[in-house]
Structures are given as C-alpha cells and as structure tokens.
Amino acid sequence: MSETPDSAVRTYIDDHRAAFLDDLMEWLRIPSVSAQPEHAADVCHSADWLAAKLSETGFPTVEVWPTDGAPAVFAEWPSEDAQAPTVLVYGHHDVQPAAREDGWAGDPFEPVIREGRLYARGAADDKGQVYFHTLGVRAHLAATGRSAPAVHLKLLIEGEEESGSPHFRALVEKHADRLAADTVIISDTGMWSADTPTVCTGMRGLAECEITLHGPEQDIHSGSFGGAVPNPATAAARLVAALHDEHARVAIPGFYDGVTALTDRERELFAELPFEEAQWLRTAKSAATHGEAGHTTLERIWARPTAEVNGIGGGYQGPGSKTIIPSSAMVKLSFRLVAGQDPDHIEEAVRAWAADRLPAGIRHEVTFGAATRPCLTPLDHPALQSVVRAMGRAFEQPVRFTREGGSGPAADLQEVLGAPVLFLGISIPSDGWHAPNEKVELDLLLKGVETAAYLWGDLGENWRHAD
Amino acid sequence: MSETPDSAVRTYIDDHRAAFLDDLMEWLRIPSVSAQPEHAADVCHSADWLAAKLSETGFPTVEVWPTDGAPAVFAEWPSEDAQAPTVLVYGHHDVQPAAREDGWAGDPFEPVIREGRLYARGAADDKGQVYFHTLGVRAHLAATGRSAPAVHLKLLIEGEEESGSPHFRALVEKHADRLAADTVIISDTGMWSADTPTVCTGMRGLAECEITLHGPEQDIHSGSFGGAVPNPATAAARLVAALHDEHARVAIPGFYDGVTALTDRERELFAELPFEEAQWLRTAKSAATHGEAGHTTLERIWARPTAEVNGIGGGYQGPGSKTIIPSSAMVKLSFRLVAGQDPDHIEEAVRAWAADRLPAGIRHEVTFGAATRPCLTPLDHPALQSVVRAMGRAFEQPVRFTREGGSGPAADLQEVLGAPVLFLGISIPSDGWHAPNEKVELDLLLKGVETAAYLWGDLGENWRHAD
C-alpha cells in the first residue's frame, strides 16, 4: 500500500477545486497565442502569471527562461529525500490561435463552465493539463503531511509548442544540467476516452526529405521527343511507387534495421482497447484503411514505421493540357520512425535507394530536414508502473496502454537529457484541440490532479536511487 | 520518264525567282500572328493578300473562308483531264508571335536575305512553304505547255494553326464536299537536313487525359494517420509507375491492340538516316535516351505509341515540409498513337486500367480531351511514290523517309476527307521554327518550287482514275 491515503487526497481536492478553477480561468483569459506576433506580450504575461502561481504553490525555485522567441517557465522543488528520483514535467503555456468567428459559441478567451465542461482556448491544450500539477503537488503534500514532494520535482513549461518549438532544443541543451532528471513526464497528450483511462508509452520519430529530379534542361515537346528520353515525372512516380512493396511494407533496403518489434503482450494490450474501425475512419476522414500487412490499424499508426508522400509535383498542373515532358519533378516524403530506428541510418538508406533507382539521364538531389527521434518506454519501467498505479487509483479502473503516432519535442528531452519519457494526460479526443469550442472535462481534469497527487508518492516510494 | 523536262522547270524558276522572293517578302511583312488579338486585322490582311496572289497565279477559284476565328484561304484549279487525281495542299498563313527583343538580329517582320538565307517570322513556318506552290504550279504549266495543272489542284491555307487550329475541324467538315481529294499534301513540315532530303509518311495521334484521385476528405496529419489509410499521392504515383513495364513498354492492357508494326523495310529505311545520338540529345536537351526495348530512338519517336506524364501534382509543394496525407492528387497523361490504334479504344483501356489499379478508399475521375488520330501513308502508295520521284529529281539524290512524332490537323483532313496524307516540306531543323531569327534556306525553298513543278506532272501521269 501507498503512503498516501486516497480519501485525504480527495478531500483536499474537493476543498480547493473552486479556487483551482478560478485560477485556471484567469490564466485562460490571457491569449498566449505564440503564432501571432500581436500576442507576443500576452505570451510573456502568461509566463509571468504561471511563474507567480508556481511560487505561490510552493516551488522554492521559479525562473522565467527567455529564448530567441517566447519565454519558458522553469520550476524546481527538491525532495528532502536524497535517494528520491528526479522527475521533470513538460508542458506548454502557449495556445493555438482562436477567433469567435471560427465557430466558437462565445469568446475563446472568456472561459465558461457548462454541464461539467470548461470551455476556452487552451483548456485542454495545454493550460488545464499543466495547471493540474499545481493542485496535484499540494494535495500530495497535504495528504502525506510532507513539506516537500517525495520526488525531486522539476517543471519546464515552454511558450512555443504551438509554433513548432523552434527554440526548444537549444533551450534544453543550454540548461541540460538544471533539467537533469531520471524521467520526463509529458503532460500534453490525452487518453483513449473518458471511459478508458490510458497511458501513452511512446511517440514515433520523424525524418523528412525532398527529392528533386531533373530531366531535360527545359520542358520539351512530348510529340517530338516522347517515348525516347527519360521523363522526370515518371521517374518521381516510379520512385514513390517503389516506397512500398505489395504488402504495403516500406521497401527501402535497411529501412527496418533495428526496429523494436511489438511484443505479443503489447499487441494484446493494443487489442484490448475498444477500437471501432468505422468511428476511427470518420476521424481519419477516410473511406478505408490501408497499411502494412499483418498489423492492425493501431499497430500501424503507433508502433510501425511508415513512409508517406506529403507532396508531389512536376510539369503542367493548370487547366487543360500541355503536351510536354517536364524538365523536373519533386516529391516530399516523410518517414515516421519507431524505437530502434536511427534517423541518420534512414537518411543514408533513402539516399542509396533513390540513387539506385533512377534511370540514366535523370539527375537528382535529396535534401533532409532536421529529424526527430522516436521514444518508447518499456512496459516494465518502474516510473511507467508508478504512473499506471497512480492513474488506476484516481480512475478506479484498469489503465490501458496507447502510443502516439505523431512526433514531438518529447524526443528532444529524451535525447538531450538521456531520460525515459512518460505521458500523463487526461484529455480526450472530443476536447477539440486546435478547433473551435476547445474544452476540458472537469471530472477528468480533477482525476489528473488526483493522479499527480498519488504519482509523486508512488514514485518516491517505489523507484529509489541506491543508498 | 516524265512529261516535264527538268531543264525547262529550272529555267522558268531562275527567270522568276526574283519576283517570287519579292512577293514572299511582301507577305512576310504582314504580321499575321493569330495568337495576338491586336494582330487580328493583320491575319485577315494576310488571307486577302494570299487570295489575290493565288488569283494572279491563275487559280480560277479563290475564296476567303471565314471561321469563328481567323479566315482560311481556299483555291481550286481543275485539270482538263477528267481522270486526273485531286490533290489538296494544306498550309497556314498565320505565324508565331515574334518581337525584336526576343533575340532577333532585326525586325522579325522586315525580311532580309543574308548569305543565301531569308530571315523573317514565317519564312519557313509556313509562308515560305505555302508560297513555293505558286511558282511551282506556274513552272509546271510553263515546262509542260499546259494551261491547267495535270491534277485537280486545291489549296486550303488556314489562319489559326499557330493557335491550335480551334476552328479547323469544323471548317473542314463544313466544306468537306469542296475539299474532297484523293490525297492531301501537307506543306508544313521539314526534311532531315539540307544534305538529306526526306519525305514524311505519317504523324502520331494523340489522346490526353487527366486522372484525379481523392483520398481523405481533407489533408490529414501524417503522424496521427500515416501508415493506416490510403494516400492519393502514393496511389497517383503507383498508377504512373504502372504505365510502363520493365522494358519501357506501355503496360495498359489492350494499349497495343491493332498497332501497325514497322516492317523490316521501314526499319531499314529509318536506319539509313544519318542519325547521331549525341546531336539528337542536344536537340532533346536530355542527357540520355530511354525508351521501349527493341527499338531505336527514331522508331520510338516516330513509329511507336507512347504514354507520357505531362503533369503530376498533389499535397504540399511549397518550401519546407508539411506532414500531411494529402486529400487529392492528379496526373495529366498523354498518349501518342500510331496507325492502327483507335483513340476510343485507348480511352476505354485507360479507364479500365485505372479503375483496376486503385486501392479501396481512393475515389477517382478520368477526363479525356478531344483526340487526334494517327495518320500513315504506306510506302508503296502511288502518290507517295510520286512525291519521292519529284523530290529526287529536284534534289538530284535519293530521298529517304521520316515520320513525325507530333500530332496535328493533318489527321482531321485524313479523317474527314478519307484521303491519305503526304508531307512535302523543305524546311530543316536549324530554321528556328517558333524561335528568334527564323529563316529559310533559299536553295531549299527553290527545290521546293521545283519539287512541286515535277509533282503535279508525275501524279497526273502515274495515278490516274480508272476510265
């Protein structure tokens, strides 16, 4: 049994929920839209507001860290127990743009509570999920009678996530010593559904490239020359067609090198989720599923690497026709990567594959952008076990496992800090991230508070550094 | 032997060349640019000018035929011999746009003769090659002492060829009775080179289509959904890649149905031409040849059907990257057709092929434009034999055979009039059609006159209607 009595936590939360919500609503009134220059001052105000609240919460160290863009907030609250693990919580205080005319029922920056839901831009993504940590750590202290958390607790709340985190990696590298942690907890994701609490155990990585193919020095007449010289648009298409074999597996030699295969246990856990294909297809706005043979849809989007064409272009694309062999064509490809894959190796493999497959007379260039590494926490990792137990106590039901198909700054934290990454989020798909009428379910928000309250105690108790 | 003494033809031409060139230069001063509305009156003026000159030449019937665009000129000169064949000569009196600042040494509409070349827009394409028929028929009459040609001679000189002949088919259909002929002679092409006189025996046809592929209802996130739904850009690429097999043959089932194969004799004749690959590649602005296995470059561009991608597009084509699965993609394809292929059958074959190859979840639409049929005159056709003999006498060397890889209004004449099409042109590749400093070689222009002078006599003598 845990040192933290569940009833004490719940009582504390009940007593403080009104003030907690008032504070959160005050924060949501600050339109901290990082993508819009006219809100730059609001993003700074948001950082200062959060810093003040974290000091009020009890964090002895709170700092606003400037970047070349919007500021981040760092806070630290050491445990009195030297053997306690160090946990870094990640979130962000900036929000997506929002305007009433996009379809909001009211002002997106004037929060309202209706039928158990708190509506406002940032309610779920990500201010609500950052802010539950303030009441969470207070409830942990109150219920255990501690004056400092059972873990060394650090928070890093960035201000540019909704703008692609352009300065985040540099920030983490600069402050790597201050940010050092045994594990990173990302509070910027969600769960399967309100009825199915889940923990995410990994994100896919991302490598992106553009391949440009050059044929004739200029567009040439398809009557005079058609059938006798290589066509770069055809070459581009044949390259893309060669990305996948007939089983929809990626056919680039070496692409799957090192891939951490799903265990039978992980596949069973995915299969336990109440996945409904018709519902999922509505979300994907697609008419059918299509993917790697031998894998379910969830395995395909979460745990298998992919190659997708994001764009293709060449020759005449206007109305009517133009009988040319175009002088060039290009494809933009992105590769989602899973644990065990190395972006550098992928780049080499793609370059060799492309060079190998083009006909004589077609010149080509391959340009890779910055890659994001995949991250994956093993199911038996002690910190993951603590999250699952804490969440299970809060939700009073079994916690299942998901992964995230996208890629994000979590990977930078994992890579720079060398710490495994976990995901603690209570948002659900209907919360409308980036959409009008974004909301958070108050019940789930408070379950997030409760999970955090149990988590620090569980981690401190079960994952100690050697004496 | 022919009834026309060569020396008499040459003497007549020598005596009249100065006046002939003066007239042609006068015509070249009229900027009959059909593509530019500000030159609409010039195009009409050009038609009237030509009509007057044809009357002066002796044609008893000369008419300017209006169209919904620029006017055409029709002229007719019946033979006194009822059994003589009827020949329709096709050319055009409109020209490509030209401006001194494009790189012309002088005013493109102020003709100059320099070192045996006549420089002006339209000198070769096509006023020079139309106009040699006026002196040609006069020389034929003078040398044979006839008062009417040995064939029923008709001319149709259109005014919109450089604008894609938008009203030409309707014009030919409207006047099909007046235009009825046993053969059509197109004087709007060229020969292999100044040293190698050639006759073109056919043009490829053309079928064009656009295929649009629809995937998700809108662009979707390649992280959240990548690897699990069909990507229309990938589907487009796989379709294009399936156009050709590993031997660069078109892989659409039924595509080659009915294709008139090259005979061994035709292949030998192509092989006799002084083809130099390095030189041809410079013209094609390409670094290597590529095409159907088992065929030479000339066979590929002249006598084999092709499938080319003229344009392809889908998804994000701007700078940088965008991690989406695009909602749609499209390809524009053109098929060059050879004798024996039917555009309607090709359309059916392409539709069936595309429908058959797309994954579930991808909707598609195929749109075909108006098709152009191929045309081909057999080597042993009596009219072709006459052209070869006439040209051989004028050039005093063997005449070889070419074909044209492009497609043009010749096919409309062949189809509507049901007459085989021959090509009599004396332009050479260096004449700069559509380019600055267009010119015609005076020697070759006069060989054209001479060829025409021999041709009518040879045709009248060797290809008679049954009594």
Side-chain angles (χ1 to χ4, degrees):
Chain A
M1 269 320 292
S2 161
E3 63 167 322
T4 315
D6 295 12
S7 59
V9 165
R10 286 176 186 153
T11 303
Y12 188 88
I13 294 172
D14 280 349
D15 290 349
H16 294 81
R17 59 173 286 170
F20 164 75
L21 290 174
D22 282 351
D23 280 351
L24 173 56
M25 287 165 77
E26 188 176 304
W27 195 19
L28 290 167
R29 285 188 192 97
I30 305 172
S32 50
V33 181
S34 59
Q36 297 175 331
E38 64 268 31
H39 286 296
D42 295 315
V43 181
C44 291
H45 179 198
S46 162
D48 292 340
W49 185 96
L50 177 62
K53 284 293 166 188
L54 292 174
S55 293
E56 225 174 82
T57 299
F59 282 85
T61 301
V62 180
E63 296 171 21
V64 174
W65 284 351
T67 72
D68 285 343
V73 179
F74 172 75
E76 185 171 7
W77 197 338
S79 174
E80 288 166 347
D81 176 357
Q83 273 79 45
T86 303
V87 177
L88 173 66
V89 171
Y90 165 88
H92 61 91
H93 66 89
D94 63 320
V95 299
Q96 279 278 312
R100 183 152 185 174
E101 55 271 28
D102 295 342
W104 286 78
D107 183 337
F109 297 104
E110 190 44 68
V112 289
I113 291 175
R114 225 175 27 243
E115 294 173 5
R117 292 162 177 166
L118 169 56
Y119 290 88
R121 173 57 85 223
D125 178 21
D126 182 35
K127 285 174 175 167
Q129 302 205 97
V130 167
Y131 208 62
F132 76 58
H133 284 287
T134 61
L135 186 55
V137 68
R138 295 294 324 164
H140 161 61
L141 299 179
T144 55
R146 290 171 172 272
S147 58
V151 297
H152 299 299
L153 188 59
K154 297 177 179 179
L155 262 66
L156 178 63
I157 312 301
E158 73 156 317
E160 295 189 308
E161 200 274 344
E162 300 295 2
S163 299
S165 304
H167 307 100
F168 185 67
R169 171 118 188 174
L171 185 77
V172 173
E173 284 172 349
K174 180 176 171 191
H175 296 290
D177 287 351
R178 304 283 306 277
L179 295 169
D182 296 302
T183 188
V184 177
I185 292 187
I186 308 287
S187 277
D188 184 28
T189 56
M191 348 187 277
W192 181 266
S193 71
D195 302 330
T196 309
T198 53
V199 173
C200 172
T201 64
M203 295 183 89
R204 293 197 287 193
L206 178 62
E208 291 172 296
C209 73
E210 180 166 335
I211 306 178
T212 307
L213 308 177
H214 302 277
E217 283 160 40
Q218 61 190 50
D219 293 351
I220 58 173
H221 194 280
S222 72
S224 306
F225 304 105
V229 294
N231 179 329
T234 306
R238 293 181 77 92
L239 206 54
V240 169
L243 273 176
H244 299 95
D245 69 14
E246 70 274 28
H247 307 297
R249 275 176 66 88
V250 178
I252 297 169
F255 183 77
Y256 289 96
D257 287 356
V259 161
T260 304
L262 278 165
T263 62
D264 290 345
R265 178 68 189 136
E266 285 168 315
R267 300 184 75 169
E268 280 168 28
L269 289 168
F270 285 178
E272 283 174 9
L273 291 163
F275 175 81
E276 284 179 47
E277 184 172 284
Q279 167 60 31
W280 184 85
L281 281 173
R282 277 193 292 278
T283 317
K285 301 186 183 302
S286 293
T289 61
H290 178 84
E292 189 185 355
H295 288 282
T296 65
T297 292
L298 291 181
E299 290 168 9
R300 289 168 178 169
I301 57 172
W302 287 346
R304 298 297 300 171
T306 65
E308 290 286 356
V309 186
N310 309 121
I312 186 166
Y316 182 68
Q317 299 182 47
S321 62
K322 193 174 177 189
T323 47
I324 54 165
I325 296 175
S327 79
S328 69
M330 74 88 206
V331 291
K332 290 178 190 275
L333 305 178
S334 65
F335 303 93
R336 297 286 166 174
L337 309 179
V338 301
Q341 283 181 302
D342 171 27
D344 294 336
H345 178 69
I346 295 296
E347 177 172 340
E348 268 174 48
V350 170
R351 286 182 183 279
W353 165 84
D356 213 38
R357 298 196 67 89
L358 295 173
I362 298 286
R363 270 190 313 115
H364 79 293
E365 293 142 21
V366 183
T367 315
F368 269 82
T372 304
R373 288 177 182 274
C375 47
L376 178 66
T377 306
L379 291 177
D380 58 1
H381 191 283
L384 180 60
Q385 293 298 320
S386 289
V387 172
V388 169
R389 278 191 299 266
M391 208 168 185
R393 282 165 69 185
F395 284 84
E396 297 178 283
Q397 60 175 301
V399 172
R400 301 185 189 276
F401 295 90
T402 65
R403 292 199 202 171
E404 167 59 42
S407 314
D412 286 324
L413 291 166
Q414 174 192 258
E415 195 183 347
V416 178
L417 306 180
V421 171
L422 306 176
F423 299 81
L424 170 56
I426 50 74
S427 180
I428 56 175
S430 62
D431 282 350
W433 289 33
H434 301 199
N437 302 309
E438 178 180 347
K439 53 88 179 164
V440 68
E441 305 274 333
L442 291 184
D443 280 357
L444 300 179
L445 185 65
L446 296 171
K447 295 284 185 203
V449 173
E450 195 177 339
T451 300
Y454 300 136
L455 178 57
W456 311 140
D458 190 298
L459 271 172
E461 201 170 332
N462 294 300
W463 192 35
R464 301 181 57 71
H465 284 282
D467 290 307
Chain B
M1 268 319 296
S2 158
E3 63 166 322
T4 316
D6 297 11
S7 59
V9 165
R10 284 176 187 154
T11 303
Y12 188 87
I13 294 172
D14 280 349
D15 291 349
H16 294 81
R17 60 172 284 171
F20 164 75
L21 290 175
D22 283 350
D23 281 350
L24 174 56
M25 287 165 77
E26 189 176 303
W27 195 19
L28 290 167
R29 285 190 192 96
I30 304 171
S32 50
V33 180
S34 59
Q36 295 175 333
E38 64 269 31
H39 286 296
D42 295 314
V43 181
C44 292
H45 180 200
S46 163
D48 293 339
W49 185 96
L50 177 62
K53 285 293 166 185
L54 292 174
S55 294
E56 220 173 89
T57 298
F59 281 85
T61 302
V62 180
E63 296 171 19
V64 173
W65 284 353
T67 71
D68 285 342
V73 178
F74 173 74
E76 185 171 8
W77 198 339
S79 175
E80 287 163 349
D81 176 357
Q83 274 78 46
T86 303
V87 177
L88 173 67
V89 172
Y90 165 89
H92 61 91
H93 66 88
D94 63 320
V95 299
Q96 278 279 312
R100 183 153 184 172
E101 54 270 27
D102 295 341
W104 286 77
D107 183 338
F109 297 104
E110 189 45 66
V112 288
I113 292 175
R114 223 174 28 240
E115 296 174 1
R117 293 164 176 163
L118 170 56
Y119 290 87
R121 170 58 84 224
D125 178 21
D126 182 36
K127 285 175 174 167
Q129 304 205 93
V130 167
Y131 208 62
F132 74 59
H133 285 285
T134 62
L135 186 55
V137 69
R138 295 295 323 165
H140 161 60
L141 298 179
T144 56
R146 290 171 171 272
S147 58
V151 297
H152 300 299
L153 188 59
K154 297 178 179 179
L155 262 66
L156 177 64
I157 312 300
E158 74 157 316
E160 296 188 307
E161 199 274 345
E162 300 295 2
S163 299
S165 302
H167 307 101
F168 185 68
R169 172 119 190 173
L171 185 77
V172 173
E173 284 172 349
K174 180 176 173 191
H175 297 289
D177 288 350
R178 305 283 305 278
L179 295 170
D182 297 302
T183 188
V184 177
I185 293 187
I186 308 287
S187 276
D188 184 29
T189 56
M191 348 187 277
W192 180 264
S193 70
D195 302 331
T196 308
T198 53
V199 173
C200 172
T201 64
M203 292 184 90
R204 293 197 287 195
L206 178 63
E208 292 172 295
C209 74
E210 179 165 334
I211 305 178
T212 307
L213 308 177
H214 302 276
E217 283 160 41
Q218 62 189 52
D219 293 350
I220 57 174
H221 194 281
S222 72
S224 304
F225 303 106
V229 294
N231 179 327
T234 306
R238 293 179 78 92
L239 205 54
V240 168
L243 274 176
H244 299 94
D245 69 13
E246 70 275 28
H247 306 297
R249 275 176 66 87
V250 179
I252 297 169
F255 183 78
Y256 290 98
D257 287 355
V259 161
T260 304
L262 278 166
T263 63
D264 288 346
R265 178 68 188 138
E266 284 168 315
R267 302 185 73 169
E268 279 166 30
L269 289 169
F270 285 180
E272 282 173 11
L273 290 164
F275 175 81
E276 285 178 47
E277 183 172 285
Q279 167 60 32
W280 183 85
L281 282 172
R282 277 194 292 277
T283 316
K285 299 185 184 304
S286 293
T289 62
H290 179 84
E292 189 184 355
H295 288 282
T296 65
T297 292
L298 291 181
E299 290 168 10
R300 288 169 180 169
I301 57 174
W302 288 345
R304 297 297 300 170
T306 66
E308 289 287 354
V309 186
N310 308 123
I312 186 167
Y316 182 68
Q317 299 182 47
S321 62
K322 193 172 177 190
T323 47
I324 53 165
I325 295 175
S327 80
S328 69
M330 73 87 205
V331 291
K332 289 177 191 277
L333 305 178
S334 65
F335 303 94
R336 297 286 167 175
L337 309 180
V338 300
Q341 284 182 300
D342 170 28
D344 294 336
H345 177 71
I346 295 296
E347 177 171 339
E348 268 174 47
V350 170
R351 287 184 184 279
W353 165 83
D356 212 39
R357 298 194 66 87
L358 294 173
I362 298 286
R363 272 192 311 115
H364 79 294
E365 293 143 19
V366 183
T367 315
F368 269 82
T372 304
R373 287 179 182 274
C375 47
L376 178 66
T377 305
L379 290 179
D380 59 0
H381 191 281
L384 181 60
Q385 294 297 320
S386 290
V387 172
V388 168
R389 279 191 299 266
M391 207 170 188
R393 284 165 68 187
F395 283 86
E396 298 179 284
Q397 60 177 300
V399 172
R400 302 183 189 278
F401 294 89
T402 64
R403 291 199 202 169
E404 169 57 44
S407 314
D412 286 324
L413 291 166
Q414 173 190 260
E415 194 182 351
V416 178
L417 305 180
V421 172
L422 307 176
F423 299 82
L424 170 57
I426 50 73
S427 181
I428 55 176
S430 63
D431 281 351
W433 290 32
H434 302 200
N437 302 308
E438 177 180 349
K439 53 88 179 165
V440 68
E441 304 274 333
L442 291 184
D443 280 358
L444 300 179
L445 185 65
L446 296 170
K447 295 285 185 201
V449 173
E450 197 179 336
T451 300
Y454 301 137
L455 179 57
W456 310 139
D458 190 298
L459 270 172
E461 203 171 329
N462 294 299
W463 191 35
R464 302 180 57 73
H465 284 283
D467 290 304

